[in-house]
């Protein structure tokens, strides 16, 4: 037993003292009540005085209750007004968010058509190149026109790319830059906003257009080469997308980009 803990005898003594103290207080209270009863018995009309005092007390308490109810009602009205204002603000913000989501849906619906158009342009360009190689006597196309067409094609592809498509391009760019192989399926488990099938399809589509070359072994991807012109336009395209469509991607898109950088880095 600890030295600081009281022993059994001390505990019993404390209990006895409490009991005797209670007896003494009870006796004193009884004596005081008896003395007051005897003393007040000599006062005439004591009951009338008591009734009058109780009536005045009730009146004062009623006035206090009315005043309190008045102030409480004003406070309740102010609280209700604040709640109505907050609800109006939330409704307005929700309306802006719905408009942004509808705009994004329209952009996503345009992606397949844009990709099909871009593939047609690339195929047409390839046919022109083949025809030019078969006819050496034909004049060489202006180099400035070719570079302008390449710039326009890349800009168009990145502008119509989805958010997840831009992430796939950024992933391939960092992997090529760091000469690092990555597991596409592992990345899609780290970022639940994109599925493996979507990421795989977008990677194949961009590689087929000729923006970069890659080798796959199962789900592992090795980006061997990437067009420098295409690589230097990916990050500006991501920044422009966040600026032009700030809601809600200005909050959830940067963390998804950080996942890519940590995954490759």
């Amino acid at each position: 037993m600890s030295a600081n803990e009281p022993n059994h005898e001390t505990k019993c003594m404390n209990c006895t003292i409490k009991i005797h103290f209670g007896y003494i207080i009870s006796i004193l209270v009884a004596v005081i009540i008896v003395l007051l009863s005897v003393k007040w018995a000599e006062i005439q009309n004591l009951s009338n005085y008591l009734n009058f005092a109780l009536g005045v007390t009730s009146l004062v308490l009623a006035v206090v209750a009315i005043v309190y109810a008045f102030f409480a009602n004003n406070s309740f009205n102010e609280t209700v007004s604040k709640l109505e204002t907050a609800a109006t603000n939330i409704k307005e913000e929700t309306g802006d968010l719905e408009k942004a989501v509808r705009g994004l849906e329209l952009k996503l619906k345009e992606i397949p058509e844009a990709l099909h158009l871009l593939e047609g342009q690339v195929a047409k360009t390839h046919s022109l190149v083949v025809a030019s190689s078969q006819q050496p006597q034909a004049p060489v196309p202006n180099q400035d026109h070719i570079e302008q067409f390449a710039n326009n094609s890349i800009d168009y592809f990145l502008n119509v790319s989805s958010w997840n498509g831009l992430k796939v391009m950024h992933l391939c760019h960092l992997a090529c830059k760091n000469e690092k192989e990555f597991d596409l399926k592992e990345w899609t488990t780290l970022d639940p906003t994109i599925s493996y099938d979507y990421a795989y399809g977008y990677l194949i589509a961009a590689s087929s257009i000729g923006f970069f070359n890659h080798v796959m072994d199962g789900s592992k991807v090795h980006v061997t080469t990437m067009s420098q012109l295409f690589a230097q336009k990916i990050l500006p395209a991501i920044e422009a997308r966040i600026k032009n469509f700030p809601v809600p991607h200005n909050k959830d898109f940067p963390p998804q980009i950080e996942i890519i950088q940590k995954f490759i880095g």
Side-chain angles (χ1 to χ4, degrees), residues 63-139:
V63 172
V64 171
I66 293 172
V67 173
Y68 174 78
F70 175 77
F71 286 105
N73 186 48
N74 288 341
S75 177
F76 177 75
N77 290 336
E78 291 179 359
T79 303
V80 171
S81 177
K82 291 180 180 179
L83 290 176
E84 291 178 350
T85 303
T88 302
N89 293 336
I90 293 174
K91 184 177 180 180
E92 292 176 355
E93 294 294 335
T94 304
D96 295 338
L97 180 59
E98 290 178 355
K99 292 179 181 178
V101 171
R102 292 194 189 98
L104 182 58
E105 289 178 353
L106 294 175
K107 293 294 182 181
L108 292 176
K109 291 179 180 179
E110 296 174 357
I111 288 175
E113 182 180 354
L115 288 176
H116 180 71
L117 179 61
L118 183 60
E119 290 177 358
Q121 292 177 349
V122 173
K124 184 178 179 180
T125 304
H126 179 71
S127 300
L128 292 174
V129 172
V130 172
S132 299
S133 63
Q134 293 176 353
Q135 299 177 1
Q137 70 280 5

Side-chain angles (χ1 to χ4, degrees), residues 159-177:
N159 288 336
V160 300
S161 293
S162 63
W163 292 90
N164 285 331
L166 291 176
K167 289 192 296 186
V168 174
M169 297 299 97
H170 184 55
L171 174 65
C172 293
H173 173 225
L174 290 182
C176 181
K177 180 180 178 181

Side-chain angles (χ1 to χ4, degrees), residues 4 8 13-14 17-18 23 60 66 87 107 122 131 143 152 175 177 180 194 204 220 231 249 255 260:
N4 296 328
H8 181 69
M13 185 178 294
N14 292 335
I17 291 173
K18 291 179 180 179
Y23 288 155
V60 172
I66 293 172
K107 293 294 182 181
V122 173
Q143 185 66 24
N152 293 340
K177 180 180 178 181
K180 184 175 180 180
I194 183 172
I204 296 299
K220 293 184 178 180
H249 297 289
I260 296 175

